[in-house]
Amino acid sequence: MSTSSVTEVGTLRFATAGSVDDGKSTLVGRLLHDSKSVLADQLEAVEHVSRGRGQDAPDLALLTDGLRAEREQGITIDVAYRYFATSRRRFVLADTPGHVQYTRNMVTGASTAELTIILIDARNGVVEQTRRHAAIAALLRVPHVVLAVNKMDLVDFSESVFCALTNEFTSYARQLGIQEITSIPVSALTGDNVVEPSRNMAWYDGPTVLEHLETVSVGDRPDDRPARVPVQYVIRPRTAEHRDYRGYAGQITSGVVRVGDPVAVLPTGRTSTVEAIDLLGEAVQSAWAPQSVTVRLRDDIDVSRGDMIVPTDAAPAVTRKVGALVCHVADRPLTVGRRVLLKHTTRTVTAVVDAIPSRLALDDLSHHASPGQLTANDIGRVLLRTAEPLALDLYADSRRTGSFLLIDPTDGTTLTACMADGIG
């Protein structure tokens, strides 16, 4: 079977983001409701809570505000994940918080997303939190960005308002390097242009939100990128039947692995050849991302958890010095000289923050040089030095093997989400 025929294009992972009260949860609730992706008991529970608040119609935002604290406060304070499907595609959505103190949650929701919907209130326009979310989408290199100009019913469905906001956002996003932008005027409350085309905006002839989600092109051919297999577990049964068995289990993060491929094991650099590939207990001739496999090598070489199996002719750099664009997510500041754990795929090494060259100012996209520290929700750049060598791709080349986390070694708290932009 050719690798082009197995590309996973049937599932779209997307995230929603926006400032407080821009209507993210209502949009997602409307999307679920109007696409008939809500179970009867879920809708009944929402109707019950809505009646308790004195509302005549069900508050569809409650379909994503799943935590009791969120429902009681009427806000989103956590990333709410939902799974649904239409006849054309399956979806995994992450509804992220709008409050500035929860900006870090967008990093979680958008880190694996192929599309991000950024909402703005048509009355308020592009605000600082809008710019922050656009910057995170750019840093995470989310392939597709949708600008949903919400609450169009409150500006009389004005085309001029929509065009002005689209131009303002697009100009800012282009400076960040975002190229794929689709703007859609919507009213999540009334359902205009969410699932069904709006009768109130005849001047708009583009897709609805659902239509765009169903038709946007996503997924790469597995063989578009070099193979990467971070080793998660070394399998040695040590039974009479499998006395000589030695396999290296892990998820293929990119590319295709084939029997007979010459490979290197990083960071040691030892080389061998793929002797066999086991998938779900069966021997196969090839496997591709994101399948989980056990790779067996022809030579008996030392391979451990955290090593990476790669093609000998397309190996990533091995380094102990890394530069990265980062979003600091912890309440405790990240300071120069701080010792941290660096977790990259299945490998965790100790590291030290050598420098913090800059912090990004979101209002004008200027870089404040040598800020000394990064505080919660800051976006900036750091230079790190690791105690052990690391096999690392640039984030621009691979979102999976070019990203890593900084962790507090004392209590395991995640400190910073990082995207490698410089090696060595």
Side-chain angles (χ1 to χ4, degrees), residues 229 233-237 245-252 257 259 274-284 287 291-297 309:
V229 187
Y233 188 67
V234 178
I235 300 176
R236 294 198 69 181
Y245 188 99
R246 186 180 179 92
Y248 311 106
Q251 183 184 49
I252 304 173
V257 181
V259 172
V274 176
E275 176 83 2
I277 303 169
D278 297 328
L279 174 66
L280 299 176
E282 300 290 335
V284 296
Q291 293 175 330
S292 294
V293 298
T294 300
V295 175
R296 288 184 275 161
L297 302 180
I309 300 173

Side-chain angles (χ1 to χ4, degrees), residues 151-170:
K151 304 187 181 182
M152 288 295 295
D153 54 310
L154 301 181
V155 293
D156 297 324
F157 301 102
S158 170
E159 181 180 9
S160 61
V161 169
F162 171 72
C163 291
L165 295 178
T166 295
N167 291 338
E168 181 182 358
F169 178 84
T170 300

Side-chain angles (χ1 to χ4, degrees), residues 85-329:
T86 66
S87 60
R88 305 176 73 175
R89 178 171 277 174
R90 297 183 298 275
F91 301 96
V92 181
L93 70 91
D95 183 33
T96 66
H99 293 70
V100 64
Q101 65 266 37
Y102 299 119
T103 301
R104 68 196 82 173
N105 295 51
M106 184 194 170
V107 177
T108 301
S111 60
T112 58
E114 295 168 287
L115 180 147
T116 294
I117 299 176
I118 298 179
L119 276 80
I120 60 175
D121 187 323
R123 300 167 301 175
N124 301 330
V126 176
V127 297
E128 180 180 358
Q129 192 69 336
T130 310
R131 292 191 288 269
R132 187 182 297 273
H133 288 148
I136 292 174
L139 286 177
L140 294 174
R141 292 185 177 269
V142 180
H144 307 279
V145 172
V146 172
L147 175 68
V149 182
N150 193 25
K151 304 187 181 182
M152 288 295 295
D153 54 310
L154 301 181
V155 293
D156 297 324
F157 301 102
S158 170
E159 181 180 9
S160 61
V161 169
F162 171 72
C163 291
L165 295 178
T166 295
N167 291 338
E168 181 182 358
F169 178 84
T170 300
S171 176
Y172 181 83
R174 291 278 189 260
Q175 295 178 61
L176 292 168
I178 298 174
Q179 299 299 321
E180 182 69 36
I181 304 170
T182 301
S183 298
I184 305 175
V186 303
S187 171
L189 186 65
T190 59
D192 290 79
N193 283 338
V194 179
V195 171
E196 300 295 334
S198 172
R199 298 180 179 179
N200 298 303
M201 291 179 277
W203 45 265
Y204 174 76
D205 59 0
T208 65
V209 173
L210 181 61
E211 182 183 358
H212 184 66
L213 294 177
E214 288 181 322
T215 58
V216 66
S217 177
V218 295
D220 294 321
R221 286 169 48 93
D223 51 5
D224 282 346
R225 300 183 185 278
R228 301 286 186 262
V229 187
V231 176
Q232 185 172 8
Y233 188 67
V234 178
I235 300 176
R236 294 198 69 181
R238 297 183 184 278
T239 63
E241 183 182 358
H242 302 92
R243 181 175 52 189
D244 298 324
Y245 188 99
R246 186 180 179 92
Y248 311 106
Q251 183 184 49
I252 304 173
T253 59
S254 65
V256 181
V257 181
R258 299 178 178 86
V259 172
D261 282 352
V263 294
V265 178
L266 302 180
T268 63
R270 295 184 180 92
T271 59
S272 185
T273 302
V274 176
E275 176 83 2
I277 303 169
D278 297 328
L279 174 66
L280 299 176
E282 300 290 335
V284 296
Q285 290 298 303
S286 63
W288 46 84
Q291 293 175 330
S292 294
V293 298
T294 300
V295 175
R296 288 184 275 161
L297 302 180
R298 183 169 300 166
D299 303 287
D300 186 12
I301 60 178
D302 184 22
V303 182
S304 305
R305 173 184 168 85
D307 289 346
M308 187 182 294
I309 300 173
V310 302
T312 55
D313 61 351
V318 176
T319 183
R320 291 180 55 187
K321 293 184 178 181
V322 183
L325 292 170
V326 306
C327 179
H328 189 61
V329 300

